[in-house]
Amino acid sequence: MDRITAAQVFVSIAERGSMIAAAEALDMSRAMVTRYLAEMEQWAGARLLHRSTRRLSLTDAGDLTLARCRRMLELAETMEVSSGVDADTPQGLLRITCSQSLAQAALAIAVTAFLKRYPRTAVDLQMNNRAVNLVEQRIDLALRITNALEPNLIARQLGWCDSVVCAAPSYLAERGSPLRAEDLAVHNCLTYTYFGKSLWQFTDRDGEAVSVPVSGNLSANEDLILLKAAEEGAGIALQPLYSAAPLIAEGRLVALLPDYAPQQMGIYGIYTSRQHMSPALRAMLDFLLDWFARDPAWLGHATPR
C-alpha cells in the first residue's frame, strides 16, 4: 500500500482522536482507514495506538511514528515528480469487479475503448455478483446495479438500468400471458437471489406504484442463468433490458406488461476514497459516466464506440 497515504491516515487519526473522524476528514471509507492503520503498525513493527471504547491514544511507538510521518509528509510536499510522465496522466492497473452480465453487455466494450484512449493504463476485470470488500480484495472500483446502497459506501452514479418482464413463447402458449402486473402472482416467476426475490415493483401508466409478490421454482444469483431458463420456457423473468433485448428482438423471448414499467435501477461505481483517488480511477469514472449517458445502443446489443 502507498506509505505516503498511510502516513496521512495515521496523522489524521492521531490529530482527530478517532478513525471515524479521520475517515470523514480524508473522505475515505472506515474500512480503508483501518487497513492503512494496520499496514502502518506492520511497517513499524509495534502497536501505535491504545484503543478504548471512548478514544484512541498514542503508544510510545506511536509518538515516534507520528513525528516520522509528519516529516515524511513535509518532504513529500516539496518533492517534484521526477518521472517523464505527468502525475495527472492516467496510468497503472485498475482492478474492477462487476456482474458477468454487465461485463458482457457493457464493460468489455467500454473498457476496451478506455484502454485505447489511455494506453498507459491496464484493467483487471473480475466477475462477481455479490458485494465484495474492496480493501481486502484490493479492488479499485466495483460496479453495482442497485437502489439500496449501504450508507457508508463512497459511490458515484454512472447511469440507469432499465428492466423488462419477459418469457418464452412456449411458456406463454402453455400458461397464458399476464395482462396486469398483479397476474404475475399466479405465474412461475424466476427470481434473482439478491434482488426482488419475493417482490417485483412497477409503475403503471397513471404513475401509481404497484408491488407484486412473486414466487417460482427457480432462483439464481446470476442474471444470465435466469435469462437462459426463461428462454427455455421455465417461467417469467424480470431481466435487465441490456440482457434481454437481443432475445426479444429475435423472438426467442416476448416482452410482457407494456403498461407497467419495472423499477429502474441505478448503476453505481463504488470505491474507497475520493481524496486519494488515482488519476486512472478518476478517468475511468468520468469515462463510464459519459459512456452510459450516450446513445443507449449498449442495452443488449452494444457496438464499439
Side-chain angles (χ1 to χ4, degrees), residues 176-196:
S177 298
L179 301 179
R180 301 182 308 140
E182 291 83 354
D183 296 340
L184 293 170
V186 297
H187 279 271
N188 193 54
C189 293
L190 314 178
T191 56
Y192 182 59
T193 304
Y194 301 126
F195 171 73

Side-chain angles (χ1 to χ4, degrees), residues 184-185 187-191 197-198 214-219 234-236:
L184 293 170
H187 279 271
N188 193 54
C189 293
L190 314 178
T191 56
K197 184 171 183 179
S198 59
V214 296
S215 61
N217 58 10
L218 175 63
S219 63
I236 295 177

Side-chain angles (χ1 to χ4, degrees), residues 158-160 286-298 305:
L158 302 173
W160 291 99
D286 291 343
F287 184 90
L288 290 176
L289 180 66
D290 176 66
W291 199 89
F292 282 116
R294 284 188 257 168
D295 156 31
W298 70 275
R305 307 300 177 100

Side-chain angles (χ1 to χ4, degrees), residues 213-247:
V214 296
S215 61
N217 58 10
L218 175 63
S219 63
N221 65 349
E222 169 53 56
D223 294 344
L224 297 179
I225 299 298
L226 300 177
L227 187 67
K228 184 62 178 176
E231 184 186 354
E232 294 297 319
I236 295 177
L238 176 62
Q239 283 285 305
L241 183 58
Y242 63 72
S243 292
L247 298 179

Side-chain angles (χ1 to χ4, degrees), residues 100-239:
Q100 183 177 348
S101 62
L102 183 60
Q104 289 185 196
L107 262 292
I109 300 163
V111 164
T112 299
F114 176 86
L115 293 173
K116 290 178 180 178
R117 180 178 297 182
Y118 301 105
R120 293 183 179 273
T121 62
V123 171
D124 178 10
L125 190 55
Q126 302 179 15
M127 306 302 100
N128 199 319
N129 290 304
R130 302 195 69 171
V132 300
N133 186 308
L134 273 62
V135 176
E136 292 181 358
Q137 301 297 321
R138 300 178 64 195
I139 297 295
D140 298 296
L141 178 64
L143 295 175
R144 196 180 303 172
I145 299 176
T146 182
N147 282 339
L149 283 175
E150 294 86 341
N152 63 330
L153 290 179
I154 297 173
R156 181 176 179 184
Q157 185 168 356
L158 302 173
W160 291 99
C161 176
D162 291 314
S163 299
V164 61
V165 177
C166 54
S170 60
Y171 175 88
L172 300 175
E174 179 182 346
R175 298 287 301 273
S177 298
L179 301 179
R180 301 182 308 140
E182 291 83 354
D183 296 340
L184 293 170
V186 297
H187 279 271
N188 193 54
C189 293
L190 314 178
T191 56
Y192 182 59
T193 304
Y194 301 126
F195 171 73
K197 184 171 183 179
S198 59
L199 195 69
W200 289 356
Q201 300 183 51
F202 303 86
T203 302
D204 65 18
R205 284 195 180 275
D206 297 324
E208 297 294 325
V210 179
S211 297
V212 183
V214 296
S215 61
N217 58 10
L218 175 63
S219 63
N221 65 349
E222 169 53 56
D223 294 344
L224 297 179
I225 299 298
L226 300 177
L227 187 67
K228 184 62 178 176
E231 184 186 354
E232 294 297 319
I236 295 177
L238 176 62
Q239 283 285 305

